[in-house]
Amino acid sequence: MDIFSNLALGLSVAVTPWNILYCFMGVTLGTLIGILPGIGPIATMAMLLPATYAFEPTSALIMLAGIYYGAQYGGSTSAILLKLPGESSAVVATLDGYAMAQKGKAGLALALAAIGSFIAGTIGTLILAGFAPALAKLAVTFGAAEYFALMVLGLVAAIVLSSGPLLKSIGMLMLGLLFGLVGSDINSGVDRFTFGQPELSGGVNFVVVALGLFGISEILLNLEKREERRLVSSSLGGLWPSWRDLRQALPAMLRGSGLGAVLGILPGGGVTMSSFASYTLEKRISKHPEQFGHGAPQGLAGPESANNAAAQTSFVPLLTLGIPSNGVMAMMMSAMLIHNIQPGPQIITNSPDLFWGLIVSMWIGNLILVVLNLPLIGMWVKLLTIPYRLLFPAILLFCCIGLYSVQNSVFDVYLAIGFAVLGYVFIKLKCDPVPFLLAFILGPMLEENFRRAMLVARGDAGVFLTRPISATMLAVALALLCFAVIPQIRKSRKVAFQED
């Protein structure tokens, strides 16, 4: 089957009434949580994971995916109108988007962000459709040694590309690996780190960790902040850009889409890194870099395209290799496991309707988002005025209901509160919790593949270096680590020399 017949199969799955409904629900909710600062896609997806038990697997994944890329659209709205990014990836939109709004071009800024995101979503979906099957064919040849090396590469990339200091990111990674070891040993069945608690024999539930670290801890953090939301103006101006505006912004949209698509595929890459990289690129190649930060359309269109393209292609490592590239993909992986779907290359052959239906639904979702973000902008503006003190009790209640419903266990609620306190401490210490989450997810699989490879090789650790693919990925991981560590060592030596 070629790519066109595969996309036709996906279209037949995605356009069913129920799947369109779930897609619409996902992108609408994603836009909403993107617009409202303090509610991220990770926390929202974690809260909805228990509810997906009652859904068909394809519908559940379509809805959760819609929340993710829908949040990228919504985050730019509050960034442009309030200079208050709803998403970390929308921070760049505050630079030129807010400046355009101050000049009475808020409508134009919102339109460029929406059009750029749609173009990027289309390009990202096509890249996902064309690149994923080829990578899945390669992944079929992987053994335990290759999967171990791939997970090591993903974890190293996560700490290298983390937003926090390198040493703290390594510490978070190690802590996540330790929490992932809680439960019964995969070979002997002996309980590890359970401290006599029978509820921990099966390990710490992923939903508990995610909701605690990213949901309840965010509520605690947001309650500290003083709310001050002032719209830049009551008049948005014209929403439809002129041909001159489009001609000026279109090259930036295409460059941002390409850059974001590449960075989204990389393990540890993500929408935030893509938007910042696109802004840097546009400013560097511009003939008038002094305009950036003062309302340059390219400074808005490029990053907004980049973050949405990265949101689409970040599904590639998960769907083809079974490796989540960021925290949101870890949520998607958890949703798959809830429905007894093993992420990896087997999805394409064993569940082609799910794989291609999910891909095509992303393009349909991007089309729906253009309709939601432009004609309904007035409604989104009104939602921006809702005080957070009215939102957080409902969010907290929904978190507790979701936690209890996973295993009907009050212990999970208490455990999530513990992780919330831990997450709050992480934020205060400026430690990025994403490496912790990825290590928690990948840790058990890392251990399982390491043990399996050692059993096959009869205890010979050289198996990881004698197999070409495994050795190459370990070498790349070592190079990445050196690339990150060496500048830190030089910097510390320079500081020590200056003090002397």
Side-chain angles (χ1 to χ4, degrees):
M1 296 175 70
D2 57 16
I3 188 171
F4 296 106
S5 57
N6 288 328
L7 290 175
L9 171 63
L11 186 64
S12 67
V13 175
V15 297
T16 58
W18 279 111
N19 285 337
I20 288 180
L21 176 62
Y22 283 117
C23 182
F24 178 81
M25 290 168 54
V27 297
T28 304
L29 184 57
T31 302
L32 178 62
I33 60 104
I35 286 174
L36 296 174
I39 311 171
I42 296 181
T44 305
M45 293 168 73
M47 286 186 279
L48 288 175
L49 278 179
T52 62
Y53 280 108
F55 297 172
E56 289 291 327
T58 303
S59 301
L61 295 177
I62 285 174
M63 184 184 73
L64 292 176
I67 291 173
Y68 180 36
Y69 57 82
Q72 311 313 315
Y73 274 77
S76 61
T77 301
S78 56
I80 291 169
L81 298 178
L82 291 170
K83 202 178 182 179
L84 187 64
E87 273 298 297
S88 59
S89 60
V91 170
V92 180
T94 62
L95 301 177
D96 286 284
Y98 185 73
M100 290 177 68
Q102 286 181 311
K103 296 177 180 179
K105 297 181 179 179
L108 173 61
L110 292 167
L112 289 178
I115 294 170
S117 295
F118 175 73
I119 292 174
T122 302
I123 293 174
T125 302
L126 291 174
I127 291 174
L128 177 58
F131 188 77
L135 188 59
K137 289 181 181 178
L138 175 64
V140 171
T141 64
F142 281 18
E146 285 79 11
Y147 270 107
F148 170 79
L150 179 64
M151 291 173 192
V152 170
L153 175 60
L155 291 175
V156 169
I159 61 174
V160 170
L161 300 174
S162 172
S163 60
L166 181 65
L167 190 60
K168 290 182 179 180
S169 297
I170 293 175
M172 296 294 289
L173 184 85
M174 296 300 177
L175 197 59
L177 289 173
L178 286 175
F179 273 96
L181 294 176
V182 173
S184 301
D185 182 88
I186 57 175
N187 286 344
S188 65
V190 176
D191 286 348
R192 302 179 298 187
F193 308 116
T194 60
F195 302 99
Q197 294 291 332
E199 293 91 346
L200 293 176
S201 296
V204 181
N205 192 287
F206 173 77
V207 178
V208 172
V209 176
L211 266 179
L213 282 181
F214 294 94
I216 303 175
S217 64
E218 280 293 323
I219 293 174
L220 297 175
L221 188 69
N222 287 323
L223 289 176
E224 287 185 348
K225 298 177 182 177
R226 183 178 178 181
E227 286 190 294
E228 187 177 354
R229 301 183 183 181
R230 295 180 181 177
L231 292 174
V232 68
S233 65
S234 58
S235 176
L236 298 177
L239 278 175
W240 190 252
S242 66
W243 171 244
R244 180 177 176 274
D245 295 325
L246 283 176
R247 188 175 56 184
Q248 191 177 8
L250 186 59
M253 293 176 184
L254 296 176
R255 284 190 294 266
S257 299
L259 182 62
V262 173
L263 293 178
I265 293 174
L266 298 178
V271 292
T272 304
M273 183 178 66
S274 300
S275 60
F276 276 97
S278 175
Y279 187 82
T280 303
L281 174 65
E282 293 302 322
K283 188 174 182 179
R284 182 166 296 179
I285 66 175
S286 175
K287 295 179 180 178
H288 303 284
E290 70 280 356
Q291 295 180 357
F292 281 70
H294 302 283
Q298 303 95 318
L300 174 67
E304 284 301 300
S305 301
N307 65 34
N308 205 60
Q312 311 290 318
T313 57
S314 60
F315 283 84
V316 171
L318 176 65
L319 295 176
T320 60
L321 303 174
I323 304 296
S325 58
N326 52 50
V328 176
M329 290 303 106
M331 294 292 175
M332 292 294 297
M333 182 174 182
S334 181
M336 289 182 176
L337 295 176
I338 284 175
H339 290 279
N340 296 319
I341 299 170
Q342 183 60 47
Q346 296 83 6
I347 289 182
I348 298 179
T349 54
N350 296 342
S351 305
D353 52 341
L354 183 149
F355 178 83
W356 293 106
L358 178 61
I359 289 177
V360 174
S361 75
M362 293 180 187
W363 185 83
I364 295 174
N366 277 280
L367 186 61
I368 294 173
L369 280 165
V370 174
V371 176
L372 284 176
N373 278 268
L374 294 181
L376 301 181
I377 191 65
M379 183 182 71
W380 301 128
V381 168
K382 290 181 181 178
L383 287 173
L384 285 169
T385 60
I386 298 177
Y388 190 75
R389 66 179 183 273
L390 301 179
L391 291 173
F392 89 87
I395 298 171
L396 191 60
L397 176 63
F398 193 59
C399 285
C400 293
I401 293 173
L403 284 166
Y404 180 79
S405 64
V406 173
Q407 299 183 107
N408 293 330
S409 171
V410 178
F411 181 80
D412 284 349
V413 179
Y414 294 145
L415 197 60
I417 294 172
F419 276 106
V421 174
L422 191 62
Y424 181 79
V425 173
F426 287 161
I427 295 171
K428 288 298 182 181
L429 295 176
K430 297 182 178 179
C431 296
D432 186 1
V434 171
F436 178 97
L437 188 66
L438 291 177
F440 177 79
I441 288 289
L442 294 178
M445 293 187 290
L446 186 77
E447 179 192 14
E448 181 182 354
N449 283 286
F450 176 78
R451 287 191 173 189
R452 188 179 298 167
M454 292 295 285
L455 284 172
V456 172
R458 297 185 178 183
D460 181 13
V463 65
F464 300 107
L465 301 177
T466 55
R467 297 175 71 95
I469 297 178
S470 172
T472 301
M473 287 190 286
L474 288 175
V476 173
L478 181 61
L480 277 175
L481 198 57
C482 292
F483 178 76
V485 170
I486 291 175
Q488 296 288 335
I489 295 175
R490 288 177 178 173
K491 184 178 179 181
S492 61
R493 285 182 177 179
K494 185 177 179 180
V495 171
F497 177 76
Q498 289 175 347
E499 290 178 352
D500 292 338

